[in-house]
Amino acid sequence: MPADELILVLVILLGIAMLLTGVSQKLPVPHTILLVIVGIALGRVADSWAPLEPLRHFRLSPEIMFFIFLPALIFESGFSIDTRQLFRDLPAILMLAIPAMLLSICVVGFGVWWLLDIPLIVALVFGALISATDPVAVVALFKELGAPNRLNVLVEGESLLNDATAIVAFTILLGLAMQGVGIAWSDSGHIIAEFLRVFIGGVIVGSLLGFAVCELLYRMRSTMSVMLTTSIVIAYASFVLAEHALHVSGVMAVVGSAIALKQFSMIRFPHDATHAIHSSWEVISLSCNSLLFLLVGLTVKFDNIMAVMGAVVLVVILILSARAFSVYSIIPVTVKLFHLPRISMAERHIMWWGGLKGGLAIAVVLSIPDALPEKQFLFDLTVGVVLFTLLVSAPTIRPLMERLGLNRLTEGEDLELRNSLITARKESGSWLSELRNYSLLTKRANQGLLIRIRLAFSIGMFDEGSEKHDDDEYMATFRAYQTERTVLILLYESEIISQYVYLRMNDSLFSMQETLRKGKNEHNAFRDSSRTSLFVRLEDSLLRYSRERLWLSKLLARYQSLRLVQQMERHIAKVIISNMIINMLEQQDDLDNSARELLISNYKARNKHYRHELKMAKRQFPGFYQHHMQNTAHRSMINRGWNHVEQQHDQGTLGAKGYNIIRRKVEQELASISHIQAIRPDDESVSELLDETALFEGLSSEDLNFVKNNATGITFLAGDTIVGEAERGDNFYIIIHGKVAVRKQDESGVTHKIATFHDGDIIGESSLVEVQSGAHRRSATIVAKTPCKLLRVTRKTMLTIVEKYPAVRQYLQKIHSDRLD
């Protein structure tokens, strides 16, 4: 087909797809299903109507499917998925995407080989291409009905990864089929090794590329348009680089690059830039999906489908059987093995029945070379199965979800709805009162509108008693949560907190939201929950890895200094947020006084705690504290004013000339602020720290230099583990400022505090006294009770000093005897 006709057909099809988007909103049929039906109708009409004849010859090559459509669809899914929930349920998703997928390939492949009498290797090729899921229609329905976020992530996450599994397995098996060789058990080891190499290699390539591009864009201070364009480049570059240059999985490379770009962009790019990238990719994905589902309909030839209908029914039974085993057997085992939250039976029913097949299967089957004799048969089977899932499974998802109750409100969601209705009614009533005060409405009209407001935002039973509920404690907590989210965004926009701190605090708020939506009982349990967030676990892992490795000393010092800054930002934010929530709660007259006072007292206690933490930081690092607080206040004031200017410019009340003049002033002022990057909490050198240490008072200048060359100053935050029990390491830590506790587990696993150390003391040796014992595994855990400034000295250095200076040994012995409880 000539290029001009190809472009014309694509434009017409895309226009039809966009028109159908509006039509589908008025019909109970999902948009994707409507596209397939219209595609089938267009194909039938084209056979008998000359103006539509180009559609009969219109086909997209497999190369265009793979290298244009597939990277776009995969990248958008990877960038938009809730990565926080994805990582939580990663074991279950991986089990579905790899072992369960391979099981499905075997079940379908051996079943087709046995029932339809085709070569085993060809049957396995078909099992690979037909086993990938395409849940576009299901995910769209999830969003419409408000299905649980976890169910959405499980379905979409499985689709992301099993697409890669299916394509990798298809490529390996197709290569064997085209070579004309069979498959034996002796080949299984080679096939598994090759699969893992391609699969994992793709993840590594994509992740590294995503991280490198994100860092490059950040350091270049790129504009939003550059970031958006680069995201498109990386989506296709990662696919082509992985597939053609490195011969690993292009799909997994795209998934890795999308997730890496999203994760690192959240702490590198402005929030509006990330949002713009996401919105742009939604448009790209909508366009690709619309064309793809129309093309699925256009490829349908009913005569061919009817000829293989019996085989299609058998294949559908095999696919559903294999998926049932995966969902109902592998998932429960995985949940129990990895201690994951329970996946309900209703959710498993949806995961089983919602394993739809789509455009990817057709694109893959079209890529089979014509030299394979069974290609047309496999194509007809594939189209038949895809039609079944799209025209039978997809339309029945909605009634199934309603039957299983997945669209019903939970107790927490019901209370959330009631709270929103009450606040919406108050806002409407307040605005109506203002209009009445302006003498714009008659008394009669005002009364009529009051009734309309009550009807529009009624809770249920239209009476005053419907507002008198016994859930005031929950309502107060929910309103406090809403206020906290609002204030947190304001603090981030004012640059009182960094983007990393914002994301970490926002992560905790999302966990709180999930718990609140479960209901009051879960909310009460939430208060006592000690579940650690991903951010905290990541920080602990980095600290545990680096604290005993000398070659990471400088990096550790800088990292700990940065963590101190972030901790101060969190404490400042908590103080401001708690004050704002207290003020908000005092004005909630519709809530019971006892419920309000209980929550107010809790927030007052938090406010007191975080103010105390800030005072501790000020006492330990006075110069640094004052410098940081002054810079933060300065920067936040300028940004608050600038945000107001931007709003005026966006609303058209400030012209471009005035806007640019103010922008230059603001940029100049912000440039004058000394930003704190990779800061040391104090500016003391190792020499200055040694001068503050009584332990080394009698050392000669030569020996002091020797210690100085083998020592590093490090900051630890309150709660940090300085030395972990049973960990390898033999460094010593001299406490310059702060207090630490030594804890040890007994045989029953109970932890006991055995000693407390503070300024001037030395810690780290397994015996806490005898340096010569040199145990390489720590016998106790040492935890910072307050922010601490420590001087880390190697064991070899301390051994040399103790042997040369008996007074140092005596000092250590005195510390040991004085500090043990």
Side-chain angles (χ1 to χ4, degrees):
M1 178 179 289
D4 56 343
E5 287 188 14
L6 177 64
I7 294 173
L8 178 62
V9 170
L10 283 174
V11 170
I12 292 174
L13 289 177
L14 194 56
I16 292 173
M18 294 305 102
L19 289 174
L20 292 175
T21 303
V23 174
S24 65
Q25 295 175 358
K26 303 180 183 298
L27 298 174
V29 181
H31 176 229
T32 51
I33 310 307
L34 190 60
L35 289 171
V36 174
I37 295 172
V38 171
I40 293 173
L42 286 173
R44 302 286 288 184
V45 173
D47 290 336
S48 56
W49 194 33
L52 292 181
E53 187 177 357
L55 290 179
R56 296 172 55 190
H57 308 291
F58 177 72
R59 293 290 182 272
L60 289 181
S61 67
E63 290 76 16
I64 293 179
M65 290 279 200
F66 270 104
F67 292 100
I68 302 296
F69 282 63
L70 189 58
L73 295 173
I74 295 294
F75 189 90
E76 190 276 334
S77 295
F79 195 84
S80 63
I81 197 169
D82 183 353
T83 50
R84 176 174 155 274
Q85 187 64 50
L86 176 71
F87 287 126
R88 284 184 178 180
D89 284 314
L90 192 59
I93 292 171
L94 284 175
M95 291 296 287
L96 283 171
I98 301 178
M101 166 61 70
L102 296 177
L103 173 68
S104 176
I105 291 173
C106 292
V107 170
V108 174
F110 281 98
V112 168
W113 165 66
W114 184 54
L115 294 172
L116 303 182
D117 194 26
I118 63 175
L120 177 59
I121 188 64
V122 175
L124 289 172
V125 168
F126 175 73
L129 70 89
I130 203 63
S131 294
T133 58
D134 187 359
V136 175
V138 177
V139 170
L141 197 61
F142 284 172
K143 293 177 181 178
E144 179 186 340
L145 298 179
N149 179 56
R150 188 185 184 206
L151 177 60
N152 182 42
V153 172
L154 283 170
V155 171
E156 199 166 5
E158 177 201 358
S159 173
L160 263 180
L161 300 185
N162 74 14
D163 284 352
T165 305
I167 291 174
V168 171
F170 169 80
T171 303
I172 295 172
L173 293 169
L174 180 63
L176 295 174
M178 295 308 298
Q179 293 172 14
V181 298
I183 186 170
W185 287 111
S186 58
D187 300 322
S188 58
H190 168 72
I191 292 174
I192 292 174
E194 180 65 11
F195 170 81
L196 292 175
R197 182 192 70 81
V198 173
F199 190 92
I200 297 174
V203 176
I204 295 172
V205 169
S207 301
L208 291 176
L209 189 59
F211 169 73
V213 168
C214 183
E215 189 66 20
L216 181 64
L217 291 173
Y218 171 74
R219 295 188 179 277
M220 291 171 58
R221 299 185 180 277
S222 303
T223 61
M224 192 180 301
S225 57
V226 172
M227 294 177 184
L228 174 58
T229 305
T230 307
S231 72
I232 298 174
V233 171
I234 192 177
Y236 290 99
S238 59
F239 188 87
V240 174
L241 177 66
E243 285 284 340
H244 281 272
L246 302 175
H247 304 292
V248 293
S249 172
V251 173
M252 284 312 302
V254 175
V255 172
S257 65
I259 293 177
L261 185 64
K262 180 181 180 180
Q263 288 299 100
F264 288 109
S265 68
M266 287 195 299
I267 58 175
R268 290 300 203 186
F269 297 172
H271 186 266
D272 54 349
T274 306
H275 179 72
I277 293 173
H278 180 253
S279 299
S280 300
W281 274 101
E282 281 187 333
V283 174
I284 295 172
S285 175
L286 175 63
S287 303
C288 291
N289 262 320
S290 299
L291 287 173
L292 202 54
F293 279 98
L294 275 175
L295 291 172
V296 168
L298 287 171
T299 58
V300 173
K301 302 296 180 185
F302 278 105
D303 293 340
N304 294 346
I305 301 300
M306 294 306 296
V308 295
M309 183 56 67
V312 169
V313 172
L314 292 174
V315 171
V316 168
I317 293 173
L318 288 172
I319 292 172
L320 291 176
S321 301
R323 184 152 184 84
F325 181 82
S326 302
V327 171
Y328 296 112
S329 299
I330 295 179
I331 286 293
V333 172
T334 304
V335 167
K336 186 175 182 179
L337 185 64
F338 291 94
H339 307 289
L340 301 176
R342 179 176 173 269
I343 299 174
S344 69
M345 187 60 72
E347 291 172 326
R348 279 183 268 168
H349 290 335
I350 296 298
M351 293 173 66
W352 169 65
W353 189 245
L356 309 183
K357 315 301 175 185
L360 176 63
I362 293 179
V364 173
V365 75
L366 284 173
S367 68
I368 297 176
D370 294 334
L372 190 71
E374 295 84 3
K375 178 181 179 178
Q376 184 60 45
F377 178 67
L378 296 184
F379 176 78
D380 294 337
L381 273 183
T382 302
V383 173
V385 173
V386 169
L387 278 181
F388 173 85
T389 60
L390 291 179
L391 301 181
V392 178
S393 296
T396 56
I397 289 291
R398 181 193 295 268
L400 180 60
M401 289 182 66
E402 293 173 352
R403 180 68 180 271
L404 296 172
L406 289 175
N407 63 327
R408 288 198 293 266
L409 296 174
T410 64
E411 183 183 11
E413 288 171 333
D414 180 62
L415 292 171
E416 180 184 69
L417 171 64
R418 290 170 58 183
N419 179 71
S420 295
L421 288 171
I422 291 170
T423 54
R425 188 188 305 182
K426 286 182 177 179
E427 286 295 321
S428 298
S430 175
W431 176 239
L432 181 62
S433 298
E434 289 188 33
L435 294 178
R436 173 65 175 156
N437 292 336
Y438 299 151
S439 301
L440 297 175
L441 295 171
T442 64
K443 184 177 181 180
R444 182 176 179 181
N446 184 71
Q447 291 175 344
L449 289 174
L450 276 174
I451 295 174
R452 301 307 303 177
I453 289 172
R454 295 183 65 187
L455 286 172
F457 301 110
S458 61
I459 295 174
M461 295 295 294
F462 184 65
D463 55 37
E464 294 295 332
S466 63
E467 293 186 21
K468 304 298 183 181
H469 49 78
D470 56 356
D471 306 309
D472 285 347
E473 185 182 348
Y474 177 91
M475 291 293 189
T477 304
F478 185 78
R479 292 178 190 180
Y481 156 77
Q482 289 180 314
T483 302
E484 188 162 354
R485 288 205 64 178
T486 302
V487 177
L488 187 64
I489 293 172
L490 182 64
L491 294 175
Y492 169 63
E493 291 177 345
S494 302
E495 292 193 31
I496 290 179
I497 58 176
S498 63
Q499 193 160 13
Y500 176 81
V501 172
Y502 166 76
L503 291 171
R504 175 171 171 176
M505 295 180 70
N506 205 38
D507 180 72
S508 299
L509 286 178
F510 271 120
S511 297
M512 183 179 181
Q513 181 186 45
E514 290 175 2
T515 309
L516 285 171
R517 284 180 174 170
K518 292 178 182 177
K520 293 178 293 182
N521 295 333
E522 295 290 340
H523 156 60
N524 293 332
F526 170 78
R527 297 175 180 171
D528 302 323
S529 174
S530 58
R531 185 176 63 184
T532 306
S533 74
L534 175 64
F535 291 89
V536 175
R537 294 199 301 271
L538 180 61
E539 289 181 7
D540 288 345
S541 298
L542 288 172
L543 182 60
R544 184 169 57 250
Y545 178 79
S546 60
R547 61 190 174 213
E548 292 284 2
R549 288 171 169 81
L550 294 177
W551 59 278
L552 289 174
S553 294
K554 292 184 178 180
L555 184 61
L556 175 62
R558 293 166 67 88
Y559 173 64
Q560 286 294 85
S561 299
L562 181 60
R563 287 185 66 227
L564 177 62
V565 174
Q566 293 169 349
Q567 187 184 71
M568 285 182 57
E569 289 179 355
R570 288 196 301 274
H571 292 165
I572 293 169
K574 290 291 187 181
V575 168
I576 295 173
I577 288 171
S578 57
N579 279 323
M580 298 284 282
I581 291 176
I582 290 169
N583 293 335
M584 180 275 297
L585 289 172
E586 289 174 346
Q587 300 173 13
Q588 304 300 305
D589 298 331
D590 62 314
L591 298 178
D592 181 69
N593 282 335
S594 60
R596 283 193 299 159
E597 291 301 324
L598 176 62
L599 200 57
I600 287 173
S601 64
N602 288 339
Y603 276 99
K604 284 183 176 179
R606 294 184 194 182
N607 189 283
K608 182 179 179 181
H609 167 74
Y610 290 115
R611 286 186 181 276
H612 174 73
E613 293 294 326
L614 288 172
K615 287 180 180 178
M616 292 290 294
K618 182 179 181 180
R619 187 179 303 123
Q620 295 290 345
F621 315 105
F624 160 75
Y625 176 89
Q626 188 62 34
H627 181 60
H628 176 74
M629 293 297 289
Q630 182 175 343
N631 278 354
T632 299
H634 188 181
R635 188 165 55 250
S636 64
M637 288 189 301
I638 299 299
N639 279 296
R640 285 293 293 271
W642 175 242
N643 291 339
H644 179 69
V645 170
E646 285 190 314
Q647 287 179 0
Q648 290 180 317
H649 179 62
D650 293 340
Q651 294 167 1
T653 57
L654 176 65
K657 293 179 181 179
Y659 174 80
N660 288 324
I661 292 172
I662 299 175
R663 177 176 57 81
R664 286 192 291 269
K665 287 178 174 291
V666 168
E667 288 176 350
Q668 183 178 0
E669 186 64 24
L670 289 176
S672 69
I673 301 174
S674 54
H675 289 278
I676 306 177
Q677 297 179 350
I679 320 150
R680 290 185 181 275
D682 48 23
D683 240 358
E684 294 175 293
S685 64
V686 173
S687 299
E688 291 171 323
L689 294 176
L690 286 173
D691 291 341
E692 299 180 39
T693 307
L695 181 65
F696 300 124
E697 283 182 353
L699 270 62
S700 65
S701 299
E702 182 181 353
D703 289 332
L704 276 175
N705 284 330
F706 172 67
V707 175
K708 174 186 172 181
N709 294 331
N710 293 280
T712 309
I714 301 176
T715 300
F716 284 91
L717 310 186
D720 280 353
T721 299
I722 302 170
V723 169
E725 186 172 352
E727 290 182 1
R728 290 188 178 275
D730 53 7
N731 296 311
F732 287 83
Y733 298 87
I734 302 169
I735 304 173
I736 307 300
H737 308 293
K739 184 183 292 185
V740 305
V742 181
R743 299 168 184 168
K744 186 174 177 62
Q745 280 191 350
D746 59 22
E747 294 180 354
S748 61
V750 179
T751 301
H752 302 277
K753 188 177 81 170
I754 59 175
T756 302
F757 293 84
H758 49 69
D759 298 9
D761 293 347
I762 183 168
I763 55 175
E765 180 57 30
S766 60
S767 65
L768 303 178
V769 182
E770 296 298 331
V771 177
Q772 285 90 338
S773 63
H776 291 284
R777 285 197 178 273
R778 306 295 195 178
S779 60
T781 299
I782 303 176
V783 179
K785 296 184 68 176
T786 66
C788 297
K789 182 66 179 182
L790 306 180
L791 187 66
R792 183 169 69 179
V793 185
T794 65
R795 175 180 175 274
K796 182 178 179 181
T797 303
M798 284 302 302
L799 182 61
T800 302
I801 297 300
V802 167
E803 290 177 347
K804 191 171 183 179
Y805 295 91
V808 173
R809 176 181 297 282
Q810 294 173 4
Y811 188 91
L812 291 173
Q813 291 172 338
K814 185 177 185 303
I815 291 173
H816 179 68
S817 60
D818 290 347
R819 302 292 180 252
L820 287 177
D821 292 345

